[in-house]
Amino acid sequence: MAHPANQRKKPDCGRWESGGREWALPGKRVWPLHLVTPVWNRGTRGTRGLSRAVAPEGSQKKGRSLLQFLADRFYDVQALREYLLRKQVLKVHQKNRPFTYIRERFGPHAAGAYFILKQGGAVKFQGKEWIRSDARGHFSLDFLKFQAVPVEAVDASGCAINYQGLDSVLALKELQSLWLQRCPHVDDWCLGRLHPLANSLQELSLAGCPRISERGLASLHHLQNLRRLDISDLPAVSNPGLTRILVEEMLPSCQVLGADWAQGLPSGPEEQSRDTASPLPA
Amino acid sequence: MLRRALQPGLSRGVLGRGLGTHRGRSTLDQNGKVSEIKKKIQSVLPRGAWNPLRDTSYLPPEHSDVVIVGGGVIGLSVAYWLKRLEKPQGAIRVLVVERDHTYSQASTALSVGGIRQQFSVPENIQLSLFSVEFLRNINEYLAVVDDPPLDIQFNPSGYLLLASEKGAAVMESNVKVQRQEGAKVCLMSPEQLRNKFPWINTEGVALASYGMEHEGWFDPWCLLQGLRRKVQSMGVLFCHGEVTRFVSSSSHTETTSGEEVTLRRIHEVHAQEEMYLSRCPVCGPGPPSPPPLVPAGEDGPQPGVPACGMCPRDQCGRGLVWPDRRAGWCREGAPWHPAGHPAPCGAEEKGPGLETPFVIDASGAYFRREGLGNNYLGGCSPTEEEEPDPGNLEVDHDFFQDKVWPPLAQRVPAFETLKVRSAWAGYYDYNTFDQNGVVGPHPLVVNMYFATGFSGHGLQQAPAVGRAVAEMVLDGHFRTINLSPFLFNRFYLGEKVQEHNII
């Protein structure tokens, strides 16, 4: 969209183009004002706060004076944006804080369950039904009475759980099933942390996590009791078919769901006949 | 009305930052006035090439609070932490002098990129743990608004150190120290090794230590560029040149025992800028300086010296911090056939798979997985006797045939049929005294600080060392990690802080 001021005069100083719309102020530097959240935050509740694009309001002259005002205070706008970015990061940290009081009072299983429920997930204690928080984030605290009952399954799909928050999950020593579908902050570092659950974990789902790559999947070899692993729809994995073959070799007694082994291969009769010898899961 | 209300308060920004955004109109006026003055001067003076009011904004500044010699990962890390820990913001001016902005021979770019906590000295373990935390949260530390997030491609696959009968006891005590400091390391017997990694041949292995968490390898170039981008956004200035000499003043004092000591203070750092032949911009415009008298060799800035590492010849003995030791011959293994297919040469063994850690053999040869296509990266550091000429980074393929391949093939039988795809060589900033870094102030030069000599583990300790040096410069003592065992004084006192686990 060409701003009328663009046609008037070319700025003689250096232009800075990094996407977004630009307004050429006569004789001045060009500041694109394209306030967007960083890529990895798009998975959570949409872009917020930073994604308003500054548009000229009212008449041209009024719009230009607002832009002039902001352009003159470039470093302040920059500081404000850095501040907003930091606030978003701190928000995720706050969500992943440890609940030490509950842990000391009610035990690690209750603390882990509380953590998951607070994030918006669901837990299943051994012998009980699934406990979920409702649409408003409320949940009953009855589970605090189950002192020694271990947590069997955790459904943390879509939750903002990150490396710090995994502390609470790793304390659940008898966890059998862990679902981390579409978690935007679960990355390779988190997968490297899952080895304490090796004795009990039988089912792991990582479908749709945007930050997991094949490098993190390589650290899953500790989980030798794993029987079901879901690695479908991982956008950061460079070669899904080959990754699946290598993961199947790494975990021979595990059923790996997700990427079709032919995915990513060039189609052609020679290639396909060569690759029919992929090992079957035991 | 809004504009009128804000007009008087325009000198400082809304949030009080003094970084002086200029008012558009005033610059134009200034430019106009300057050109007028120039015309007047030129009309008065006789014709000549003298242009006293030329624009020197593209040159590095003449005065700077901190000059960092070397813009590799350690130098940039020091610059980052200086800018981050300074109070108030914008208080000090930092200048980084780097002689090769392409980093073609820099240790950082040629590094294998591993990070581990399996050291024998507790300070090294702490440095490594801090750096791991930095790398994990790299997008919080090095975030620049509007730039894409960094992906350092960390592989959390861990390190596997193998020990023979001789080294088993040392390995056990090392693991004890590592566990005390908080590293997650476990010991494995040969049988456990065979169960976990069937491709390994455990002949001659008495004990193995395996790092479960916080160990692996990453992309050092990405870290370097991320640091560079961030420090530029924080206002650190760069000089493309090579430091040739220092100009310092000296004063004499007496120690408590009555000995006379000469203390020095550096006042000027002369650098030879690469772009302009024989000019010394740091000391101001003037006649061209004589060519540097620094012979290529042991003294003076050498490739691979990360930062602040120049020992003036007068002060210390030669050869203590030897900047240009050569090591780390890396080779790549051949693409192995995908499992289940007969290999061209008929061998049916499987190569190490996705779970392969960074394996370091007892003989000193190491290898790690690279990517998904059955490629491996392996290498070995030559011993001191085999050390080739430091000025030459040419690859010696015989070294691979004689010293790297045999131990690797013996350890992993599948490697007997590997082929070399490419090779390169890089520098270790090797400390011949005790193979540990030198961090902290120079005892006799009052305003000089070291951050050098890391002997192959500089990259993995860079974020933590940068913080330590910044704390030392700004506060005068170490705050987060106490690196007093790594001070320069240990060379005078003869106290070795020997690091056993270097590769």
Side-chain angles (χ1 to χ4, degrees), chain B residues 42-328:
Chain B
Q42 275 174 350
S43 66
V44 168
L45 294 172
R47 281 189 180 275
W50 187 48
N51 188 1
L53 294 174
R54 71 181 182 280
D55 181 20
T56 53
S57 58
Y58 60 90
L59 291 176
E62 287 187 22
H63 302 281
S64 168
D65 295 307
V66 180
V67 174
I68 298 179
V69 178
V73 72
I74 299 231
L76 292 181
S77 172
V78 173
Y80 169 76
W81 283 106
L82 275 172
K83 274 301 184 184
R84 196 174 137 130
L85 297 176
E86 62 179 356
K87 289 194 166 47
Q89 257 189 349
I92 58 177
R93 179 183 282 177
V94 181
L95 175 71
V96 173
V97 182
E98 166 59 43
R99 69 180 212 156
D100 179 10
H101 281 230
T102 61
Y103 297 98
S104 54
Q105 292 196 327
S107 298
T108 308
L110 299 172
S111 161
V112 179
I115 180 163
R116 58 181 163 113
Q117 282 85 49
Q118 296 188 46
F119 292 103
S120 54
V121 175
E123 281 77 19
N124 279 335
I125 306 171
Q126 291 168 18
L127 287 173
S128 201
L129 282 171
F130 182 94
S131 302
V132 151
E133 192 262 328
F134 183 91
L135 291 175
R136 193 172 67 233
N137 299 313
I138 196 170
N139 283 309
E140 287 173 27
Y141 283 105
L142 302 185
V144 176
V145 175
D146 272 342
D147 274 351
L150 290 169
D151 177 18
I152 53 165
Q153 311 211 336
F154 180 68
N155 285 268
S157 295
Y159 267 65
L160 179 71
L161 267 68
L162 305 174
S164 55
E165 287 284 341
K166 275 194 311 181
V170 174
M171 178 176 270
E172 265 196 68
S173 60
N174 285 347
V175 168
K176 215 162 126 193
V177 172
Q178 288 152 22
R179 283 219 190 108
Q180 267 174 352
E181 295 294 332
K184 307 247 186 328
V185 186
C186 72
L187 284 166
M188 292 172 82
S189 66
E191 199 174 312
Q192 287 171 322
L193 259 189
R194 275 194 294 273
N195 287 341
K196 192 135 184 92
F197 305 116
W199 37 263
I200 220 174
N201 167 24
T202 51
E203 184 191 322
V205 174
L207 196 60
S209 73
Y210 183 41
M212 317 263 276
E213 257 187 73
H214 302 143
E215 292 192 347
W217 57 92
F218 62 97
D219 178 16
W221 181 254
C222 178
L223 175 65
L224 188 68
Q225 293 305 315
L227 274 170
R228 214 183 148 94
R229 191 182 75 176
K230 179 69 178 175
V231 300
Q232 276 180 328
S233 83
M234 287 165 119
V236 168
L237 304 160
F238 280 82
C239 169
H240 185 186
E242 186 174 344
V243 173
T244 50
R245 61 189 179 107
F246 296 137
V247 169
S248 53
S249 66
S250 56
S251 63
H252 298 270
T253 51
E254 270 190 20
T255 62
T256 43
S257 52
E259 279 177 40
E260 260 226 12
V261 183
T262 309
L263 291 176
R264 285 198 182 194
R265 172 173 276 273
I266 297 176
H267 293 279
E268 289 175 23
V269 177
H270 288 210
Q272 170 126 6
E273 232 190 336
E274 293 296 318
M275 295 186 291
Y276 304 96
L277 299 170
S278 37
R279 276 246 317 243
C280 288
V282 178
C283 62
S289 72
L293 294 171
V294 179
E298 285 179 44
D299 302 281
Q302 288 298 316
V305 177
C308 303
M310 280 172 27
C311 269
R313 277 173 83 157
D314 310 332
Q315 249 67 49
C316 74
R318 250 170 279 177
L320 281 178
V321 177
W322 186 8
D324 41 24
R325 155 135 179 162
R326 189 119 154 263

Side-chain angles (χ1 to χ4, degrees), chain A residues 40 72-73 81 163 195 274, chain B residues 10 21 146 149 213-214 341:
Chain A
W40 67 81
D72 282 342
R73 284 151 201 78
R81 292 177 67 195
Y163 187 90
H195 62 91
R274 242 179 49 162
Chain B
L10 281 180
T21 54
D146 272 342
E213 257 187 73
H214 302 143
H341 302 277

Side-chain angles (χ1 to χ4, degrees), chain A residues 21-77:
Chain A
R21 295 139 79 181
E22 307 174 72
W23 290 268
L25 307 163
K28 304 293 176 296
R29 296 201 196 119
V30 176
W31 306 115
L33 292 172
H34 182 54
L35 306 173
V36 182
T37 52
V39 179
W40 67 81
N41 273 330
R42 292 228 176 94
T44 49
R45 339 261 144 139
T47 54
R48 216 195 296 199
L50 297 187
S51 65
R52 15 165 257 281
V54 181
E57 307 138 22
S59 65
Q60 283 181 16
K61 198 167 172 208
K62 203 174 164 191
R64 260 210 303 286
S65 70
L66 172 66
L67 291 177
Q68 174 91 33
F69 175 77
L70 286 173
D72 282 342
R73 284 151 201 78
F74 172 71
Y75 288 110
D76 303 317
V77 173

